[in-house]
Amino acid sequence: MTSHRGEPENITDAYYRCLMHAVGYRQKDLDKPQIAVVNSWTDVNPGHLPLKDLSQRVKEGIWSAGGAPGEFNVPAPCDGMAQGPGQRYILPQRDLIAASIEAMVNAHGFEGLVMLGSCDKIIPGMLMAAIRLNLPTIFLTAGAMLPCRIDGRTKVTSDLKEAIGKAGRQDIDMPTFLNWQERYCATSGTCSMMGTANTMGCFLEAVGLAPFGSATMLTFDAAKHRQARDVGERIVGLTRQGLRMDTFLNRTGLENGLKFISASGGSTNAILHLMACARLMNLKLDLRKVEEIQSAVPVLAKFKPSSAYNITDFHEAGGVPGLQKAIADYLYLDAPLCMGGILGEALDMTPPPDETIIQPF
């Protein structure tokens, strides 16, 4: 008997294989690439609620490509919900998530990873785990929340902070405030602003660790389910080819991502997380180095809460590849993409962005 890698089976694996049979895996399933589907689904975080369904589509893709998926979960706290004393438990969760993924993957011997996460500390925690494990890895976020429209104006989560101020000054009455409170988060998905969640989700696209459009696409777009199947199929290919995490996230990939963050006016929290990632990669990245990398790249696009535009507007204007096309002269265009090809080829096929939202260089 041989494994999918062509190596003789070790009879001491019998205990592992017997227990895997107990959860439904057949003999031939255990001879396929074993892919971890790391899911941060939860009922109590809108950015992660859609991941329950998306994980099923990812697993369908893995099975269809000849892999064997195994799903497990990690915590997924919401920064917006963790107010007051709850905030003390938010940043430490990043390292808790990273450690729990590393421990589970190494304990069970998975060979490839699909990371399903969306929000502020979850993506950084997953990214740190992926760097430590250095296995073939693809990330998939849930996609963006539908913006709300009230009196002809688009509203998203960050606008509620303005509403809180107006209610506190009694500029609006309580029934109006309660109506806004109920409606501003119109659907599940990531908050439709360029906070930490979407900055990190778009960063994953920019460095080639997630499919283009994954962070900015509406979460209920049918294309999101098709995208999830594509990710499932692709991770099996990456695993068979041995294309590990550091194929995509290395010094040049990190610089491409930092330049994207600069051009998009992204969250400064991203720098906090990326300096932690760089440390794990044995790269020197301090604030001086960040300034050096980003200094040549101006802000070409701004989104809520820094402008009137939301993440759906960004997606329709060209999204991450559209903005990267505008700064292409400053990027490493030979950087590989997890879904195939290199960045330069992808940008050649990207239409010019909408210059109302993504300014020309």
Side-chain angles (χ1 to χ4, degrees):
M1 187 188 306
T2 59
S3 71
H4 72 273
R5 292 183 293 269
E7 301 164 351
E9 283 295 350
N10 188 337
I11 61 170
T12 58
D13 287 342
Y15 211 80
Y16 165 80
R17 298 173 80 87
C18 180
L19 291 168
M20 289 294 280
H21 293 324
V23 292
Y25 290 80
R26 301 164 298 174
Q27 183 72 43
K28 63 182 179 180
D29 297 331
L30 299 178
D31 294 334
K32 299 173 181 178
Q34 302 296 300
I35 309 297
V37 179
V38 185
N39 195 352
S40 54
W41 165 78
T42 172
D43 271 338
V44 292
N45 183 336
H48 294 251
L49 185 64
L51 298 177
K52 184 176 184 179
D53 291 334
L54 280 182
S55 70
Q56 301 307 309
R57 304 295 177 260
V58 170
K59 288 190 285 187
E60 289 167 6
I62 293 170
W63 283 120
S64 71
E71 182 178 357
F72 65 87
N73 291 80
V74 296
C78 174
D79 282 50
M81 294 183 185
Q83 300 299 312
Q87 278 291 342
R88 299 176 184 176
Y89 295 92
I90 285 295
L91 185 55
Q93 293 243 17
R94 183 194 73 179
D95 292 0
L96 176 66
I97 291 164
S100 66
I101 294 170
E102 182 181 6
M104 185 67 177
V105 169
N106 280 332
H108 278 246
F110 288 106
E111 300 162 87
L113 311 171
V114 175
M115 301 283 199
L116 297 175
S118 294
C119 291
D120 296 18
K121 304 306 181 292
I122 295 84
I123 292 177
M126 289 180 162
L127 194 57
M128 291 169 67
I131 292 168
R132 289 173 181 169
L133 291 163
N134 197 28
L135 293 170
T137 304
I138 301 178
F139 288 77
L140 186 66
T141 61
M145 180 184 290
L146 178 70
C148 166
R149 287 189 69 79
I150 296 179
D151 299 328
R153 295 185 178 182
T154 300
K155 300 293 182 181
V156 301
T157 319
S158 58
D159 292 308
L160 187 59
K161 295 180 180 179
E162 298 291 333
I164 292 170
K166 290 179 180 180
R169 295 191 306 271
Q170 298 184 334
D171 292 343
I172 55 174
D173 58 31
M174 190 52 60
T176 298
F177 176 72
L178 292 176
N179 177 48
W180 291 359
Q181 175 184 278
E182 190 169 312
R183 295 177 60 193
Y184 274 16
C185 291
T187 67
S188 60
T190 57
C191 298
S192 193
M193 59 183 184
M194 194 56 84
T196 309
N198 279 316
T199 300
M200 293 304 299
C202 290
F203 169 86
L204 295 172
E205 293 185 39
V207 300
L209 284 170
F212 283 130
S214 51
T216 57
M217 181 188 300
L218 284 170
T219 189
F220 51 82
D221 193 322
K224 175 58 76 171
H225 280 188
R226 299 194 296 271
Q227 186 179 72
R229 283 199 182 95
D230 289 341
V231 164
E233 291 180 350
R234 181 61 181 160
I235 190 59
V236 177
L238 290 185
T239 302
R240 285 184 167 137
Q241 292 174 271
L243 296 177
R244 297 175 178 269
M245 178 73 176
D246 60 8
T247 303
F248 307 99
L249 187 59
N250 44 41
R251 183 185 63 80
T252 56
L254 184 62
E255 289 194 17
N256 277 351
L258 286 167
K259 289 172 182 177
F260 168 82
I261 291 171
S262 177
S264 64
S267 168
T268 53
N269 283 338
I271 305 306
L272 170 78
H273 299 307
L274 292 177
M275 286 197 293
C277 289
R279 186 182 183 93
L280 294 175
M281 297 162 63
N282 296 316
L283 296 177
K284 182 180 179 182
L285 184 69
D286 55 20
L287 292 178
R288 286 192 178 89
K289 184 62 176 177
V290 170
E291 172 64 18
E292 177 187 326
I293 293 168
Q294 293 189 328
S295 61
V297 184
V299 178
L300 298 184
K302 293 197 295 183
F303 306 97
K304 283 182 176 286
S306 297
S307 79
Y309 299 118
N310 57 58
I311 295 301
T312 298
D313 295 326
F314 182 31
H315 185 74
E316 293 173 352
V320 172
L323 182 50
Q324 285 187 297
K325 191 178 184 77
I327 60 170
D329 288 346
Y330 296 87
L331 300 176
Y332 295 100
L333 298 178
D334 59 350
L337 306 175
C338 67
M339 301 306 287
I342 61 172
L343 180 60
E345 294 170 347
L347 297 187
D348 285 343
M349 295 186 290
T350 298
D354 179 345
E355 293 187 353
T356 304
I357 296 174
I358 299 174
Q359 299 295 310
F361 197 90

